[in-house]
Amino acid sequence: MAYRNDQRLPLDEGGGPGPVLRLSVNPRARRLSVRIDARAGEAVVIAPTERGLTQAVAFARTKAVWISQRLAVQPKGRPLEPGQVISLRGRPVRLEAVPGAGAARLVEDGAVIRSGGEGEAYARRVENLLKREARDTLLERTDHHLRALGQKPVKMSIADTRSRWGSCSPHNRTIRYSWRVIMAPPPVIDYLAAHEVAHLVHADHSPAYWSVVERLVGDHKPWRKWLKDYGGALHAVGR
């Protein structure tokens, strides 16, 4: 059976109910792999080519028990509402409501976010503040790493991607980040910026690429592991 990029199919080869596989072709991938998309509640099967998806699906199905277990323990959604405690740059921040429709703002030395609005309007204002914080921080760290590598400026954008924390397009010099990384500790944020900037030098994940990342931030493995271990909780915020 021929598979195609972005196709979805059941983990169970018999087509029964249960976890879903999402197929993804990534030319930069060096091997077949499976990762958990916490936000979508799917297992993403990755192959370097569309032809390789057949083998990738077979590989994923050998990991059916692991995939089911990982999806079963993914964090549940945490609404952005008054009384909720979220993190900002790795520090706990309490959400509070104030009368009116004012924009969200950081107060009490960054320990509290106060915002007007109710329901979805309140959540939207808080999310907009987090996006602004993400833009400012990631722009600063991106520029820092660009200078370290002698690279010219890039066009940077902030999004709420379904799974990837960032992406880089060397041919048009654009970098996109998930705003949710602003909830992670500063070294994780810095690692993500270095990860994407390094793709301007090497578009793959070869040893030469990782040597550039290491040059920028030192030992990157703890920060990669942090995103793997705790990223699902960040994707659950506001869901």
Side-chain angles (χ1 to χ4, degrees):
M1 178 179 180
Y3 296 112
R4 64 183 184 280
N5 185 46
D6 210 32
Q7 181 181 354
R8 285 171 172 80
L9 64 154
L11 174 62
D12 182 354
E13 191 170 4
V20 172
L21 301 177
R22 185 171 85 241
L23 310 188
S24 175
V25 174
N26 181 357
R28 296 191 303 190
R30 297 175 62 83
R31 57 184 173 82
L32 306 178
S33 62
V34 180
R35 62 174 174 76
I36 302 300
D37 183 342
R39 179 179 174 184
E42 301 171 337
V44 183
V45 181
I46 303 167
T49 65
E50 200 158 82
R51 180 177 296 179
L53 287 174
T54 299
Q55 185 179 356
V57 170
F59 170 69
R61 284 175 168 156
T62 67
K63 293 180 167 290
V65 173
W66 176 83
I67 290 171
S68 298
Q69 290 174 341
R70 287 291 306 275
L71 288 173
V73 298
Q74 291 305 309
K76 295 183 179 179
R78 300 167 53 205
L80 290 169
E81 59 185 13
Q84 178 68 261
V85 175
I86 63 172
S87 62
L88 179 62
R89 299 182 182 88
R91 296 178 54 197
V93 178
R94 187 175 70 257
L95 304 185
E96 295 183 355
V98 293
R105 63 189 188 279
L106 281 166
V107 297
E108 298 185 15
D109 292 327
V112 173
I113 293 177
R114 290 189 183 134
S115 177
E118 297 181 359
E120 290 185 5
Y122 177 90
R124 185 168 58 252
R125 286 172 171 80
V126 173
E127 184 175 312
N128 286 341
L129 180 146
L130 295 174
K131 288 178 177 177
R132 292 194 298 272
E133 293 292 320
R135 180 179 296 278
D136 290 347
T137 298
L138 286 164
L139 182 61
E140 190 276 326
R141 297 319 299 163
T142 299
D143 285 346
H144 171 83
H145 293 308
L146 287 171
R147 291 193 298 271
L149 295 179
Q151 290 282 329
K152 297 178 180 178
V154 298
K155 181 179 180 182
M156 193 196 83
S157 63
I158 300 294
D160 194 1
T161 51
R162 290 177 59 88
S163 55
R164 299 171 71 179
W165 290 104
S167 61
C168 174
S169 298
H171 66 283
N172 58 10
R173 301 190 66 79
T174 62
I175 293 177
R176 184 170 70 160
Y177 298 107
S178 168
W179 65 265
R180 293 173 176 276
V181 78
I182 195 60
M183 295 183 276
V188 178
I189 301 172
D190 192 42
Y191 156 69
L192 178 62
H195 183 112
E196 300 308 332
V197 169
H199 277 311
L200 296 169
V201 181
H202 296 285
D204 52 20
H205 286 103
S206 63
Y209 162 80
W210 287 113
S211 70
V212 174
V213 177
E214 187 169 356
R215 192 168 116 208
L216 293 173
V217 296
D219 184 6
H220 48 78
K221 294 183 181 67
W223 317 130
R224 292 172 63 191
K225 186 176 186 302
W226 194 99
L227 283 174
K228 181 178 180 180
D229 291 346
Y230 301 106
L234 305 191
H235 280 296
V237 173
R239 303 298 173 204

